[in-house]
């Protein structure tokens, strides 16, 4: 993967003539990589955080393959998709010659972030994640996404938002394909990144809630136990998207983690 173009605040990394991973490259200082969640984009999931961190850090915020500005790059939803995301982001870091990076991830981006931290080894300066457990969601959640048009509450509103982010008519395919990938993970025991979690060496902060429907707290606690360097902070009476629900608190915790892990 090599960089072939630069836009205002954005670079493009290509792996074929017609497919590209797009990412924002904003600010200056130590590199912080932001990895968004399922069916999101960097700006859809992280705008408040980008605004808060850009004055102090160099922010690398990709739209992961298959999403947003990177929608022409095939998502290929399967048991390797999170490792594929991690490889894409490592290619970006190699391309910009970043000697190290802090990693911040939400939901699916957090799962990929754990893999990325393992891949980077000592180049990973810190890891902060939320909405994550290293396991697939409960079966009742996956079944909703397998039949989104009939089973997801308020589907028309979600469909319109996903089409806005990723391209007209793509919503059903994105959601049902994700459910298919989760079912494939289930056939292999439901583990997403267990071997990588055990090899993460950088300081790690895991944020969780006691009411995340995708990641029951006990599953997240098991993940924290697998990461040798991890500590857990639980935000009570919150759900999955902690940045949206507890923005100031989450941003303050991320800033503290970054500051404590600087070179």
């Amino acid at each position: 993967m090599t960089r072939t173009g630069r836009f205002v605040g954005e670079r493009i990394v290509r792996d074929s003539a017609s497919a590209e991973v797009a990412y924002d490259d904003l600010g200056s200082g130590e590199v912080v990589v932001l990895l968004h969640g399922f069916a999101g984009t960097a700006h859809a999931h992280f705008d408040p955080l980008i605004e808060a961190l850009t004055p102090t850090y160099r922010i690398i915020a990709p739209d992961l393959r298959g999403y947003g500005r990177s929608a022409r790059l095939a998502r290929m939803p399967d048991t390797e998709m999170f490792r594929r995301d991690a490889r894409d982001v490592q290619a970006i870091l190699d391309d910009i010659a970043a000697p190290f990076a802090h990693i911040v991830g939400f939901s699916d981006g957090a799962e990929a972030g754990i893999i990325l931290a393992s891949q980077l080894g000592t180049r990973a300066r810190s890891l902060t994640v939320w909405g994550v457990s290293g396991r697939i969601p409960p079966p009742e959640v996956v079944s909703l996404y397998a039949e989104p048009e009939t089973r997801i509450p308020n589907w028309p509103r979600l469909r319109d938002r996903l089409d806005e982010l990723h391209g007209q008519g793509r919503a059903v395919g994105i959601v049902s394909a994700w459910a298919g990938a989760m079912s494939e993970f289930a056939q292999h025991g439901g583990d997403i990144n267990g071997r990588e979690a055990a090899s993460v060496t950088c300081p790690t902060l895991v944020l969780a809630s006691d009411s995340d429907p995708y990641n029951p707290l006990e599953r997240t606690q098991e993940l924290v136990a697998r990461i040798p360097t991890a500590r857990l902070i639980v935000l009570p009476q919150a759900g999955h998207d902690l940045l949206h629900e507890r923005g100031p608190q989450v941003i303050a915790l991320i800033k503290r983690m970054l500051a404590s892990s600087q070179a």
Side-chain angles (χ1 to χ4, degrees):
M1 234 182 220
T2 57
R3 187 174 68 238
T4 59
R6 178 162 187 164
F7 299 82
V8 176
E10 179 183 290
R11 302 184 188 192
I12 300 293
V13 175
R14 295 183 185 273
D15 72 354
S16 76
S18 61
E20 52 198 30
V21 172
Y23 63 98
D24 288 329
D25 183 357
L26 306 168
S28 61
E30 295 193 0
V31 171
V32 179
V33 177
L34 305 181
L35 303 180
H36 66 78
F38 162 65
T41 66
H43 287 284
H45 284 172
F46 287 133
D47 259 354
L49 187 58
I50 292 171
E51 181 178 355
L53 297 182
T54 299
T56 309
Y57 298 96
R58 182 180 181 183
I59 303 303
I60 302 297
D63 285 356
L64 299 174
R65 59 168 59 219
Y67 296 138
R69 295 165 297 172
S70 305
R72 288 194 296 170
L73 186 59
R75 182 77 193 143
M76 294 180 287
D78 55 28
T79 57
E80 288 300 307
M81 64 183 184
F82 299 119
R83 294 184 179 92
R84 203 172 291 119
D85 288 334
R87 289 194 297 269
D88 287 345
V89 177
Q90 183 169 353
I92 293 171
L93 295 175
D94 292 344
D95 189 57
I96 66 172
F100 58 85
H102 302 271
I103 303 164
V104 177
F106 163 55
S107 194
D108 279 10
E111 304 289 6
I114 292 168
I115 298 169
L116 177 62
S118 173
Q119 289 178 181
L120 291 178
T122 57
R123 288 177 68 192
R125 184 69 69 191
S126 72
L127 173 66
T128 305
V129 291
W130 65 95
V132 62
S133 65
R135 304 282 299 179
I136 63 171
E140 60 270 21
V141 174
V142 175
S143 66
L144 292 179
Y145 286 77
E147 301 176 23
E149 294 173 287
T150 58
R151 302 200 62 187
I152 292 181
N154 300 315
W155 168 250
R157 185 171 63 181
L158 177 58
R159 177 200 60 208
D160 292 347
R161 176 60 173 158
L162 295 182
D163 283 350
E164 177 186 354
L165 289 175
H166 310 300
Q168 193 66 31
R170 298 196 65 227
V172 172
I174 286 173
V175 172
S176 59
W178 177 87
M182 294 302 105
S183 296
E184 186 175 341
F185 273 111
Q187 294 171 14
H188 294 82
D191 177 73
I192 293 175
N193 50 29
R195 69 176 185 265
E196 290 90 356
S199 65
V200 171
T201 59
C202 63
T204 299
L205 174 62
V206 179
L207 305 177
S209 80
D210 52 7
S211 303
D212 183 345
Y214 301 91
N215 300 285
L217 182 56
E218 60 270 20
R219 289 284 182 87
T220 300
Q221 290 169 328
E222 292 168 359
L223 170 66
V224 171
R226 290 194 295 272
I227 301 175
T229 57
R231 63 190 178 96
L232 174 66
I233 295 179
V234 178
L235 306 184
Q237 299 180 336
H240 183 61
D241 189 350
L242 295 179
L243 182 60
H244 175 74
E245 297 180 46
R246 303 289 176 86
Q249 184 178 8
V250 170
I251 289 171
L253 289 168
I254 293 170
K255 283 184 172 181
R256 190 181 309 162
M257 181 64 173
L258 295 174
S260 69
S261 306
Q262 289 190 27

